[in-house]
Structure formats: structure tokens, C-alpha cells
Amino acid sequence: MLQAFMPHSDVSARLRRLTAAALCALCAAGSVPVSAKDYPVDDSYSISQRFYAYRDEHPELKEPVLSFTEGQQVLFDRRYKVADGRELHLDVFLPATDKASGQAIMFIHGGGWRSGNKTHFYPLANLLAQQGYVVITPEYRLSMEARYPAGLEDINDALAFAKEHAAAWGFNPTRIALGGGSSGGHMAGLIGNTANTTLFKGEHSADAVRVNAVVDLDGVLDFTHPLALASENKRKDKSAAGMWFGGAYETLPERWAEASTAKHIDADSPPMLIISSGQMRFTAGKDEVLSKLSSHGIASKYYQYDNNIHTFWLFEPYLTETAERIHTFLSQIASGVNQ
């Protein structure tokens, strides 16, 4: 969620044209034609780009490989919404029927609220599907296309859509967790803790978007924390957060506070798993979040690496390790074990 994900010039911001065939896809309500539309894309952040940036200092890293087991299925590019004249899609990784746990998890990709895409979570989604989870990876509008809170509203729409399809996809609609990495981890924490408010939900009820757990992989939890302000507000309205919010902290302090998960923890908050790279600015606010969860008797778990790479969940050996930690946490939640 940092300047490292920012393009070095406007050259890296390109226009992607959606094909007419994709724009005429069927939705649950029937065939709804949508006109083709150009929208800006920053493609400066990719798994490959991160791998080559890290590999010299971290020779242990291995690029992800997806290996499927018998009975798995993947549903690609299911349209969940039409926003401002274009489709938004999600992918669904389904476990083999005999391994299905009834628990789902939706992962929000990172990229400074400006770049990245849903494919970044395919390796983690695949591993968790093999553990019995239904795993959903949505796209959402990024800051070059639509500023805060559009992307948050998109994710809530994706959650509501997923719950509507719970029976078809084989999970209990009351058992869906929300996770994400970096800026996606921030969004997961925020959305997961605002179901009972009026924020980001539109016409949805609290039940339509409520989740039973949150997984934050190195995502900021309090934008007003000194560590967060030192990095996320360093370039003011030119920072990744500033461009998403539409202004620097000094200009829009209420918005920066509103978008801070730590401000929304209460007795109705879901259990939370936080995994930190050890670069503490990325999980700024985690102490307050964990303290508040504990005061309400809500389960939580915190893991911290010793100064690992930021996007540790993208690569082995940390990819499998992350999947196992998520599986352990969700299993303990299901069994009623308090962390």
C-alpha cells in the first residue's frame, strides 16, 4: 500500500478496453447489455515485479505454482456488479465436495488501492480450497478509476452476491471470512468491522455483508497512528492513500480516521487474524485493535515475522505458511476456541 507500488511516471498507467463479449455476459437476473468503456489501469504492481525486486536479498523466495487436486473447480470471471457502466467480476475456487468445510473466505488484493488484481490471490486461494474452503477473489474499482469509498462499496456488493450464491457454491452464508493483503488487508479490516454501521453498505442489510472472521496480511489498521502518517501521508495528496482519499491527512482528517479499522472495533466485531511482515508501519494500529478485541472477549491472533518482505503471502516458503495459519485460525473459530 506504499509508494513502492506507485508508477514512476504516467507511462505505466494504461487504458484497458473491455471486450464486447465480456460486457454482454449473463448475470443472475438475466442478460443485461453494457456498453464498452475505457478505464485507467496502473499495472506497475505484479507478482513478477515483486519477485524480481526481492529475490537478491531473499534468495529463499520461490515463485508460486498452482497444482490442483481431484474434484476442485474454479469459476472464472463471474459478474457480481455493473458499476459506472462496466462489469466487475469475481473468481471462485471450490473445494472437492468430500472436503468442503462449509466455510468461505473472500480475499481482497493489494496494490496501494491503485493497482494489483484478483489473480494475485490465486495461489493462496488454491491452497485453501484444498483445505476445504470456498475462496472468492473479487476485482474492485481502484483509485485511478474511482476514489474512496467506491472500492469498499464494491467489496460489500461482492460479499452480498457471494452470500446469495452460498447454496450453489457449497458454503454456509453465515460462515464467510474476509481477508486481504496490504491495502486489501486494510480494506478487509475496515469492511469486516463496519457491517453494523451505515458505512460502505448502500442498501444492504448488516446480515448481507457481515463476516465471521477477518484476516489482515500486513494492512494498516489506523491511518491516524504516527507510523501510518509517517509513511501513508509522506507525500500528502500524492501518496497512495492521499490519492485514494482525495487529499492529504491535513486536508481530510475525518476521512482518514473514518477509514481506520481501530476506530470501529466494538462488541460486534468479528474475530481477527493479523499477520505482520515485521515492518511495523504496515500494521500501524494493531495494538489498539488487539486490545479492544480482547476487552470485548473477541478471539484474535497475531503473528509477526522478523523483518520479512512486505508481500510475504505471494511467495514460498511463506505462501504455504500463511495458508496454514489461516486454516488453523478459522478451524479454531469454528470449534469455538478463543485465541
Side-chain angles (χ1 to χ4, degrees):
M1 71 179 54
L2 305 157
Q3 285 73 22
F5 294 160
M6 296 291 295
H8 296 297
S9 73
D10 289 341
V11 173
S12 63
R14 304 173 184 172
L15 292 177
R16 175 183 298 164
R17 178 166 294 279
L18 301 182
T19 66
L23 291 171
C24 292
L26 296 178
C27 68
S31 180
V32 180
V34 183
S35 299
K37 179 185 178 182
D38 288 339
Y39 62 98
V41 172
D42 172 2
D43 63 359
S44 62
Y45 168 45
S46 67
I47 292 179
S48 174
Q49 183 265 336
R50 291 288 84 196
F51 178 73
Y52 285 100
Y54 290 138
R55 68 173 184 167
D56 289 343
E57 292 186 15
H58 292 270
E60 78 277 12
L61 296 182
K62 294 180 176 62
E63 293 177 286
V65 176
L66 274 69
S67 299
F68 295 94
T69 58
E70 185 176 356
Q72 282 184 259
Q73 296 183 60
V74 184
L75 312 179
F76 289 112
D77 261 12
R78 273 20 183 201
R79 183 172 85 182
Y80 74 87
K81 175 179 181 177
V82 176
D84 296 329
R86 81 166 180 96
E87 293 185 339
L88 292 173
H89 310 90
L90 51 78
D91 301 319
V92 188
F93 286 69
L94 299 176
T97 303
D98 61 347
K99 291 192 174 182
S101 67
Q103 172 76 50
I105 181 167
M106 179 177 289
F107 281 116
I108 310 169
H109 71 77
W113 308 277
R114 179 183 175 96
S115 59
N117 64 73
K118 57 187 170 69
T119 66
H120 292 185
F121 268 110
Y122 282 7
L124 186 57
N126 186 54
L127 289 178
L128 288 168
Q130 292 171 4
Q131 295 275 21
Y133 299 95
V134 174
V135 189
I136 304 154
T137 62
E139 67 175 322
Y140 58 95
R141 288 171 292 173
L142 299 166
S143 63
M144 289 185 67
E145 180 181 3
R147 289 176 175 169
Y148 172 98
L152 297 161
E153 295 166 350
D154 294 340
I155 298 300
N156 268 329
D157 287 335
L159 280 171
F161 180 88
K163 289 191 176 192
E164 291 170 359
H165 290 77
W169 296 347
F171 72 92
N172 184 331
T174 67
R175 296 180 61 203
I176 181 169
L178 187 62
S182 192
S183 56
H186 155 259
M187 293 172 71
L190 183 57
I191 295 171
N193 283 281
T194 53
N196 291 328
T197 75
T198 59
L199 295 173
F200 321 127
K201 295 205 310 292
E203 299 299 317
H204 294 304
S205 68
D207 285 342
V209 297
R210 183 177 286 113
V211 298
N212 74 329
V214 163
V215 176
D216 175 16
L217 307 176
D218 233 19
V220 169
L221 294 160
D222 185 358
F223 282 107
T224 69
H225 190 283
L227 282 176
L229 289 174
S231 57
E232 305 299 342
N233 194 46
K234 185 176 182 179
R235 298 180 62 220
K236 307 302 181 183
D237 60 343
K238 301 301 182 184
S239 69
M243 287 191 288
W244 188 47
F245 290 133
Y249 174 73
E250 292 80 3
T251 305
L252 298 168
E254 296 86 1
R255 186 169 298 175
W256 286 60
E258 178 185 80
S260 297
T261 300
K263 310 300 183 186
H264 300 286
I265 304 294
D266 59 25
D268 293 319
S269 288
M272 289 186 66
L273 168 64
I274 303 169
I275 306 180
S276 167
S277 65
Q279 300 178 55
M280 303 315 298
R281 62 192 178 112
F282 287 108
T283 50
K286 59 95 176 169
D287 290 337
E288 182 178 358
V289 166
L290 293 170
S291 176
K292 286 182 175 179
L293 289 171
S294 178
S295 71
H296 291 295
I298 298 169
S300 64
K301 186 69 177 180
Y302 176 71
Y303 291 101
Q304 181 179 317
Y305 284 103
D306 182 16
N307 198 33
N308 200 350
I309 63 171
H310 172 43
T311 54
F312 54 85
W313 58 92
L314 296 180
F315 308 107
E316 296 292 7
Y318 310 113
L319 167 61
T320 295
E321 201 167 67
T322 300
E324 286 299 324
R325 284 174 171 164
I326 293 171
H327 174 53
T328 298
F329 182 74
L330 293 178
S331 296
Q332 290 174 332
I333 296 300
S335 65
V337 175
N338 195 308
Q339 310 300 303

